[in-house]
Amino acid sequence: MKTLRDAIILIVLLSFCVSCEKEADSLELALQFAGNNRPELEKVLKHYSSPADSLKYRAAEYLIRNIPYYYSYKSPTLEIFQKELYPMAIKHDCTGQEAFQMLEKKLGRWNPREFEVVYDAHVITADYLIRNIEQAFKVWHEKPWGRRVSFDDFCEQILPYKVKNEPVEDWRELYYEHFQPVLDSLLTDPNNPMEAINVLWDTLHASRWVYWDTKPAGYPYPGATSLLKDGLIGDCYELASRAVYVMRALGIPGGVTGYLQFPYGKGHHLWNFVPDPSGNIWEFSLNGNRPRLVKPGKHIIAKAFQRCFGVQPESLPMITNRRQDLPPLLNNPFIRDVSGQYIDNLSLVIRANRWTRKDNILYLCTFGFEDWAPVAWTIWRDGKFVFDHVEKDMVYLPAYYKDGTLIPAAPPCYVNRYGIHTAFEIDKEQKQDVSIYRKYPLRDVWSEYKIRIINGKFQADNDSTFSNPVTLHTIRQESDMCWGVIELPDSVTYRYVRYLSGDNGYCNMAEVQLISENGQRLTGKVTGTEGSFRDKLNNRREAVFDGDPLTFFDANKANGAWAGLDLGEPKTIRQINYVFRNDDNNIRLGDTYELFYWDNRWCSLGYQTAEK
């Protein structure tokens, strides 16, 4: 997550580099920015000044031109946090959030404002850069797949010495010595980078990773050396970075791709990519999907961007010459739009003549968690704005962006699965009745989750080990994501009651309520399978009885997982209410809802309570 300080640093550097590029060479500007450390950078250029090293000289120039943008944070407290966080989580078998809270109690409250910003250009040494360049060239030339990697791709995907704001460290040899033996022992085709990635994925995926969903504000990237084996903690950012270090150390081309804003809610996401010998792009996540071929049209991302080391000339800040009023998500000179790899070539055209348009730049917005979020941009040409690679089955708002405010340029537009555009223009005269069952689109991934309930069982016993359980009910159909009610034909009396997962179900029950004969909800001690997938705090067995339908038990094993209650003594049960893993976006009886429509702003149609 970017802090305000990060944003200020980026603005300062952009102002420095972009405005001055008109007056002098960017290499000289980078040397000037280095200040007292300039001689170290000049040593690198001098080291490769021989005509025989012309390619390495160009590589050194590439790194030095971009060095002013990179920095890290320095703080004794930060060093202790990053050193002790993973061991703390392993020792206590807890999540990253829990380990962080323990460290705060031990070390004091986390305060990123106390961190000192250290620019790489001010401290990096000639010896370090020369080692980095030599090791990068070595694996580029010695690996058979390197023959298919152009110099430009090499500079972007193999040469860089860091990913973002982590410390400057010697990591290449460490990673090479750790993972090259894995390839030597398991790789059957030394010419195939895809086989290498699959072998490495198996090794990396088997590591004990500690995941956390929400990192503290201002938490910097950990160093590459800690992500080798002693600091395997983080979210998709750290997982993607770890894969990048491995690939760069072994000369495998690739990097990081992601989306800036999930089009149906909040959040962003990163994953890794690697090109195969035929030029096809494969994607993978160390905590999820093993390498799979990217096929356009099978994602819900709105737009995909590749994260780069070097400043991208076609990025929005560079195209607009560091214009001040840019949407934060797109105000990044290090991202490259690669939506064409993931989305069909479908265009959305918004016509505007020179008198009606309000700006030369128009943004395409998807609906974020609370409001529209700009995720793409285009420039006015020939009387129209054209957005390429627009994802199907999505609603967009074309809008200008002025001083932090979105100004609609046209009504919201729905692009259906056949590529047909429909504008949502409000007709206030004609009305119709609408029955609403959900308040949020159902993602394709739910087709997998909903079947996990099949063959799940509610069981009871008076023995805590469930040595001879009585099955009260077996679920035979996939989940409808609504509350289910099981009326027991006869009241039953037991001390222990549980939900036992069906095949490949990972339990995934969100909420269970045991109702007594007099209509009271029974309570007790939570029992069941320990742990959770990725050690997530909110996905343990306690989630089944916490009163929150959005938390659910996500067991760390597919079969045999269960969650139950010890009622303390045998008690009579007349009814079981339950809801399986869900997004809580089905309409719930008794809840009050407010319906909005868009008419250049969100307008309320009033409130209504769901009655049936």
Side-chain angles (χ1 to χ4, degrees):
M1 178 183 296
K2 263 192 178 301
T3 64
L4 176 61
R5 176 186 289 174
D6 294 339
I8 293 173
I9 290 171
L10 184 59
I11 291 170
V12 170
L13 291 175
L14 277 173
S15 301
F16 170 78
C17 292
V18 178
S19 62
C20 297
E21 276 182 355
K22 298 177 181 178
E23 303 172 7
D25 178 73
S26 59
L27 179 63
E28 173 58 28
L29 291 171
L31 294 172
Q32 291 178 19
F33 183 79
N36 294 334
N37 200 48
R38 176 173 181 149
E40 289 295 309
L41 302 185
E42 290 178 327
K43 285 181 187 177
V44 180
L45 297 173
K46 183 177 180 180
H47 182 82
Y48 292 118
S49 60
S50 166
D53 288 328
S54 60
L55 209 55
K56 292 181 179 178
Y57 185 89
R58 288 172 56 194
E61 282 187 319
Y62 175 81
L63 291 178
I64 293 172
R65 279 194 176 102
N66 288 288
I67 276 181
Y69 290 98
Y70 287 91
Y71 56 92
S72 60
Y73 294 108
K74 185 178 181 181
S75 161
T77 302
L78 172 62
E79 292 176 8
I80 297 174
F81 264 91
Q82 293 192 323
K83 181 179 180 180
E84 295 190 14
L85 193 59
Y86 181 70
M88 179 76 75
I90 295 300
K91 178 181 178 181
H92 295 279
D93 191 23
C94 64
T95 65
Q97 291 98 314
E98 291 173 312
F100 185 83
Q101 291 167 3
M102 293 178 191
L103 281 178
E104 276 200 312
K105 290 181 180 179
K106 175 182 176 181
L107 302 173
R109 192 158 184 83
W110 175 264
N111 186 5
R113 293 183 179 180
E114 297 177 350
F115 300 166
E116 176 188 356
V117 177
V118 181
Y119 293 100
D120 293 6
H122 296 165
V123 297
I124 205 163
T125 67
D127 288 344
Y128 175 86
L129 282 176
I130 291 170
R131 279 197 306 275
N132 179 82
I133 293 170
E134 291 297 321
Q135 290 163 359
F137 268 82
K138 177 177 180 292
V139 292
W140 182 33
H141 288 152
E142 77 177 14
K143 297 297 181 184
W145 47 73
R147 293 192 294 268
R148 301 183 181 90
V149 180
S150 69
F151 177 72
D152 287 343
D153 286 341
F154 163 78
C155 285
E156 181 56 56
Q157 299 175 11
I158 299 175
L159 175 66
Y161 63 93
K162 69 186 309 186
V163 174
K164 202 173 181 184
N165 62 11
E166 70 272 29
V168 176
E169 296 179 332
D170 268 313
W171 54 269
R172 285 188 180 271
E173 282 296 327
L174 292 174
Y175 274 75
Y176 185 90
E177 292 171 358
H178 190 83
F179 290 103
Q180 183 58 43
V182 175
L183 295 185
D184 292 339
S185 61
L186 298 175
L187 197 61
T188 60
D189 181 1
N191 295 304
N192 188 350
M194 294 313 305
E195 185 188 356
I197 284 294
N198 274 282
V199 167
L200 293 168
W201 187 91
D202 289 335
T203 301
L204 292 164
H205 189 70
S207 302
R208 186 174 180 183
W209 185 268
V210 174
Y211 201 88
W212 54 6
D213 293 313
T214 305
K215 286 185 289 191
Y219 194 85
Y221 274 52
T225 55
S226 67
L227 286 177
L228 179 60
K229 56 183 179 179
D230 296 326
L232 308 185
I233 186 169
D235 57 18
C236 61
Y237 277 80
E238 283 78 15
L239 285 161
S241 296
R242 189 177 189 223
V244 165
Y245 295 133
V246 174
M247 290 191 291
R248 287 178 183 173
L250 299 174
I252 300 173
V256 178
T257 300
Y259 54 75
L260 304 176
Q261 168 67 50
F262 181 61
Y264 288 153
K266 63 180 179 179
H268 46 262
H269 184 50
L270 298 176
W271 59 89
N272 295 100
F273 75 90
V274 60
D276 68 16
S278 300
N280 301 310
I281 303 298
W282 293 68
E283 63 179 1
F284 66 93
S285 299
L286 293 185
N287 64 324
N289 301 319
R290 56 182 314 115
R292 62 185 182 185
L293 184 65
V294 172
K295 295 181 180 180
K298 295 187 178 297
H299 299 74
I300 300 178
I301 55 177
K303 282 291 179 178
F305 292 88
Q306 186 181 124
R307 193 175 67 186
C308 305
F309 177 82
V311 172
Q312 300 302 297
E314 299 301 314
S315 64
L316 183 60
M318 305 305 286
I319 287 291
T320 60
N321 192 24
R322 67 182 176 85
R323 179 171 163 173
Q324 296 300 309
D325 60 334
L326 297 178
L329 289 178
L330 297 170
N331 191 13
N332 186 336
F334 304 104
I335 57 175
R336 175 192 302 161
D337 192 330
V338 292
S339 301
Q341 298 173 2
Y342 292 84
I343 300 172
D344 294 324
N345 191 13
L346 176 68
S347 296
L348 180 61
V349 179
I350 306 297
R351 300 193 178 277
N353 60 44
R354 66 179 61 191
W355 297 279
T356 60
R357 76 179 192 275
K358 293 181 172 59
D359 197 350
N360 285 331
I361 297 178
L362 188 68
Y363 298 94
L364 199 61
C365 310
T366 60
F367 191 70
F369 185 59
E370 296 178 340
D371 208 344
W372 297 101
V375 295
W377 59 276
T378 191
I379 296 177
W380 182 81
R381 291 188 180 91
D382 302 323
K384 58 184 180 291
F385 295 98
V386 180
F387 294 96
D388 294 323
H389 300 293
V390 174
E391 191 168 11
K392 299 176 183 178
D393 201 17
M394 197 82 68
V395 176
Y396 299 96
L397 176 70
Y400 302 102
Y401 188 86
K402 290 287 187 181
D403 300 322
T405 301
L406 289 172
I407 304 171
C413 177
Y414 173 60
V415 182
N416 70 16
R417 63 187 59 189
Y418 305 106
I420 299 174
H421 309 165
T422 303
F424 286 126
E425 297 189 74
I426 302 302
D427 185 343
K428 298 180 181 178
E429 301 301 322
Q430 300 188 49
K431 300 179 181 180
Q432 66 183 104
D433 292 328
V434 177
S435 297
I436 300 175
Y437 301 95
R438 280 183 59 81
K439 57 185 190 293
Y440 189 87
L442 186 63
R443 296 173 60 192
D444 290 341
V445 70
W446 285 104
S447 61
E448 172 195 337
Y449 298 149
K450 290 166 67 176
I451 63 175
R452 292 184 176 184
I453 198 174
I454 296 175
N455 292 326
K457 296 179 175 63
F458 288 97
Q459 295 182 331
D461 203 333
N462 283 316
D463 181 354
S464 63
T465 64
F466 287 89
S467 58
N468 189 27
V470 173
T471 297
L472 305 176
H473 182 79
T474 300
I475 300 171
R476 301 297 186 187
Q477 296 179 323
E478 69 176 32
S479 169
D480 62 3
M481 302 176 71
C482 296
W483 280 87
V485 177
I486 302 170
E487 297 281 358
L488 300 179
D490 297 303
S491 297
V492 294
T493 303
Y494 289 99
R495 175 174 174 174
Y496 302 97
V497 183
R498 72 177 181 180
Y499 171 76
L500 176 65
S501 179
D503 295 338
N504 295 311
Y506 294 90
C507 200
N508 275 196
M509 184 58 69
E511 200 67 25
V512 171
Q513 299 175 350
L514 306 179
I515 308 300
S516 69
E517 282 186 309
N518 59 8
Q520 298 298 310
R521 182 176 174 180
L522 299 174
T523 60
K525 179 183 177 181
V526 178
T527 60
T529 306
E530 295 183 351
S532 65
F533 181 61
R534 295 182 191 159
D535 292 325
K536 288 189 176 181
L537 179 62
N538 291 332
N539 292 136
R540 297 178 179 178
R541 63 193 183 191
E542 288 77 12
V544 181
F545 305 97
D546 65 358
D548 184 351
L550 275 175
T551 59
F552 61 94
F553 184 19
D554 199 14
N556 51 23
K557 61 179 184 178
N559 300 309
W562 61 277
L565 279 183
D566 174 1
L567 301 177
E569 61 183 8
K571 293 184 179 180
T572 301
I573 306 164
R574 189 65 180 84
Q575 179 180 301
I576 300 175
N577 302 330
Y578 70 92
V579 61
F580 198 64
R581 179 176 183 173
N582 69 97
D583 61 2
D584 199 25
N585 279 299
N586 284 12
I587 299 299
R588 292 197 288 177
L589 296 181
D591 283 0
T592 300
Y593 296 92
E594 185 177 9
L595 183 63
F596 292 85
Y597 66 92
W598 180 262
D599 187 14
N600 284 332
R601 62 184 180 88
W602 289 112
C603 305
S604 176
L605 272 174
Y607 297 85
Q608 187 166 324
T609 300
E611 297 177 350
K612 61 179 181 178

